[in-house]
Amino acid sequence: SAGTPVASLVAAAALAEDVVIGTSGEETSLFLAPSLLMSEADLGRLLDTLDRALAVADRHHAHRAA
C-alpha cells in the first residue's frame, strides 16, 4: 500500500499466517522475540513464515525500482 512502511507490510503478511513480528512503524525495522523455550518445529515455522513475509519487501522494492 502506498505510504505504508514496508516493515508493516511484512509484519501484516506474517500475521496472516498467525506469526507475530513486531515493527515500530519505521520503514525497515522488524522485531523478533521468539520464546527461548520454542521447539525446533516452531522455530522452523517462524523462519519459513519470515522468509515468505520478506518476499513482500522484495516485491515492494522491485515495484519501486521499476
Side-chain angles (χ1 to χ4, degrees):
S1 300
T4 301
V6 68
S8 295
L9 298 175
V10 171
L15 188 57
E17 294 191 39
D18 297 323
V19 172
V20 177
I21 296 176
T23 177
S24 65
E26 296 175 12
E27 185 65 24
T28 58
S29 297
L30 295 171
F31 302 98
L32 300 174
S35 168
L36 295 176
L37 303 175
M38 165 179 262
S39 71
E40 191 169 330
D42 286 340
L43 179 59
R45 180 170 175 257
L46 169 66
L47 294 175
D48 289 344
T49 300
L50 178 60
D51 188 44
R52 286 189 296 276
L54 286 172
V56 171
D58 292 340
R59 289 190 300 272
H60 177 81
H61 288 296
H63 176 72
R64 289 180 66 181

